[in-house]
Amino acid sequence: MSDCDGGAWSFRSHIARFDRSNSVFIPDRPPLLHHSGLFFYDLNVQKERQSAPLSSNDESLLYLCRKDVEQLCSTIDTVAIIREVFRLHSLQQTVLPDEAYLGWENPLGETVRSLNMPAYVGGELTAAGTKIINGNIANPQRGLPRANGLTLLFDPITVRINAILEGAYLSSLRTASVTALAVDLLQGRPIKKVAIIGAGVLAQAHIELLVKRLPTLQKIALFDLDAQRSQHFAQGIAGLLHEHQVTFEQSASAQMAIAEAELVIPVTTTTTGYIPYQWLSPGTIVVNVSLDDILPDVVLQADAVIVDDWHLVKSDHRRLLGRMYRAGQLIGPDDSEQEQRPFSRKIDAQLGDLITGKRIGRRTPEEILLVNPFGLAIEDIALAARIYQEAVRQGKGLQLCR
């Protein structure tokens, strides 16, 4: 424990008001608790505080490496945190600017990209920060992950950076947690078979989470264009599947993997669709994680289409739903029916709408549902804040001089 650590502390909720004109939260009372650059607001002002006054050192910040992040994530309920994030987002208690996207060719002629995604989450989570994630799809050929990044947390009062977390693992876990939340909200028939397309980091993150959360799960069917990659992947997860009594099927095609699956999760890098509506069985949930694997007929014929944030989805000209919006094939969940054109459809809901009860997701067990999770930085920032809290409690991480 470094000199910056002030001992035990409690994380208490705050009172704040939301200034919609400026898109910021303004506390209604001064901070009562302070720890390592983080301020918290005490609602229980009549109760005697259990802990001694907390000290801080503004000359350092906390760094959490991947191993730290993995260990700390195992102690928290990431799906519950993501659920609260979407509830707050639906209640407009978040600030989510458009992402900054930088794409270019490296000296080898490979297409690479960097994303910077700042976000603020209000409510009892109360966290601000930014996610930086870079990617090169050629990296696996070098024995490197396709994506890597960092998540930075800001002090909510001074906005100084007070924590840096390895971001790639956090990003994959929050993506899998959004899928798990979608299943919680939309499941009809018991899920016995899950189809996963793509044998990468996101596939592993999903399997590690879902085998613990789906008690009826019997089989994971996986397809990847690289059969050797699939075999290597299967070896890596064999122990986990055996522990949970789940069988593994290395499918010969995407269609074979998807056949009779109650849950379909594409996690690839493709920009060309290949999954038609006719491959899907009644009652199937498709969580379109990689955004471009499905064909337009899935969007148009699904019984319900749910997105995480319609503004971000429609604003992205690179992905399928954004392209369909520009072609006049989609309108938003709050748009008037009069704006709908022939041979187009309305987005049925955002995930937060299902949590707050504003809209309904599944109506019958036979419905085929499409979930299109664009990926929101508020998810990463909320999880990072909870991880930071746990790291301070456990004395984990490395203090870095500013």
Side-chain angles (χ1 to χ4, degrees):
M1 182 178 291
S2 73
D3 291 336
C4 290
D5 292 308
W9 56 288
S10 61
F11 183 76
R12 300 180 182 177
S13 58
H14 76 288
I15 294 178
R17 56 188 170 89
F18 185 56
D19 185 340
R20 298 183 188 279
S21 62
N22 294 310
S23 295
V24 296
F25 283 85
I26 302 174
D28 283 337
R29 65 167 62 132
L32 297 176
L33 299 178
H34 176 262
H35 188 282
S36 298
L38 274 181
F39 288 84
F40 303 98
Y41 303 90
D42 192 354
L43 290 177
N44 304 310
V45 293
Q46 303 301 326
K47 296 182 179 179
E48 182 178 354
R49 281 188 293 214
Q50 300 294 321
S51 59
L54 300 174
S55 63
S56 67
N57 184 341
D58 291 332
E59 299 307 315
S60 69
L61 51 84
L62 185 66
Y63 173 70
L64 297 173
C65 67
R66 182 186 179 99
K67 183 177 180 181
D68 291 331
V69 173
E70 289 183 7
Q71 291 176 346
L72 293 164
C73 283
S74 68
T75 67
I76 63 178
D77 186 344
T78 59
V79 180
I81 295 171
I82 294 299
R83 184 186 185 97
E84 177 63 6
V85 166
F86 278 110
R87 188 187 73 84
L88 293 170
H89 191 51
S90 182
L91 298 175
Q92 298 184 328
Q93 294 187 31
T94 61
V95 181
L96 187 64
D98 292 339
E99 67 181 29
Y101 180 93
L102 174 64
W104 74 99
E105 282 193 1
N106 67 13
L108 299 179
E110 298 164 344
T111 300
V112 296
R113 58 104 172 115
S114 178
L115 300 175
N116 185 11
M117 296 167 277
Y120 179 89
V121 183
E124 293 189 1
L125 296 176
T126 312
T130 193
K131 170 186 177 179
I132 302 170
I133 194 85
N134 297 351
N136 180 347
I137 60 174
N139 277 349
Q141 301 171 18
R142 304 181 175 97
L144 297 172
R146 180 182 64 86
N148 71 96
L150 295 171
T151 302
L152 281 62
L153 284 179
F154 306 155
D155 183 293
I157 303 299
T158 69
V159 300
R160 284 161 62 96
I161 297 170
N162 55 29
I164 303 173
L165 295 78
E166 192 277 337
Y169 177 80
L170 183 63
S171 182
S172 62
L173 178 59
R174 66 86 158 150
T175 301
S177 298
V178 172
T179 296
L181 174 63
V183 172
D184 288 349
L185 296 170
L186 298 170
Q187 182 175 343
R189 296 173 177 172
I191 294 177
K192 299 179 180 179
K193 178 183 177 181
V194 173
I196 296 181
I197 313 300
V201 172
L202 284 176
Q204 181 167 342
H206 276 81
I207 292 173
E208 289 176 352
L209 187 61
L210 293 176
V211 294
K212 301 172 186 176
R213 297 183 60 89
L214 299 177
T216 58
L217 182 60
Q218 299 176 2
K219 179 190 291 187
I220 298 284
L222 182 137
F223 171 75
D224 192 283
L225 289 173
D226 187 336
Q228 187 174 1
R229 180 184 174 102
S230 295
Q231 292 173 0
H232 180 73
F233 182 88
Q235 293 170 1
I237 63 167
L240 176 67
L241 296 185
H242 177 74
E243 177 185 350
H244 292 274
Q245 298 181 336
V246 176
T247 61
F248 180 84
E249 174 187 294
Q250 184 176 337
S251 301
S253 68
Q255 182 176 3
M256 290 181 64
I258 291 171
E260 299 182 351
E262 292 87 10
L263 177 61
V264 176
I265 309 169
V267 282
T268 73
T269 58
T270 188
T271 56
T272 303
Y274 58 91
I275 300 176
Y277 181 80
Q278 67 182 19
W279 285 6
L280 307 176
S281 303
T284 296
I285 304 170
V286 180
V287 183
N288 190 34
V289 172
S290 39
L291 301 177
D292 280 333
D293 299 69
I294 59 171
L295 292 171
D297 68 331
V298 176
V299 182
L300 296 174
Q301 296 183 50
D303 294 290
V305 178
I306 295 99
V307 300
D308 48 4
D309 184 282
W310 172 239
H311 171 73
L312 291 183
V313 169
K314 75 175 184 179
S315 299
D316 189 336
H317 65 277
R318 298 181 298 274
R319 299 301 190 179
L320 175 62
L321 267 65
R323 299 195 304 268
M324 292 181 69
Y325 168 75
R326 282 167 174 71
Q329 295 176 291
L330 296 176
I331 64 172
D334 294 316
D335 293 338
S336 169
E337 298 286 352
Q338 297 177 346
E339 302 177 44
Q340 190 167 351
R341 302 179 186 180
F343 308 107
S344 67
R345 76 161 300 148
K346 187 172 186 175
I347 298 298
D348 294 272
Q350 299 182 113
L351 280 171
D353 298 335
L354 308 184
I355 295 169
T356 60
K358 180 179 178 181
R359 291 187 170 91
I360 297 174
R362 178 179 293 279
R363 292 174 175 81
T364 71
E366 292 76 26
E367 286 184 326
I368 294 175
L369 307 181
L370 172 65
V371 181
N372 194 85
F374 188 82
L376 312 179
I378 51 176
E379 302 157 9
D380 300 83
I381 299 307
L383 286 178
R386 181 65 183 86
I387 292 166
Y388 175 83
Q389 176 195 359
E390 191 65 20
V392 173
R393 188 184 71 82
Q394 297 185 26
K396 287 189 176 293
L398 176 67
Q399 294 288 347
L400 301 177
C401 293
R402 292 186 184 275

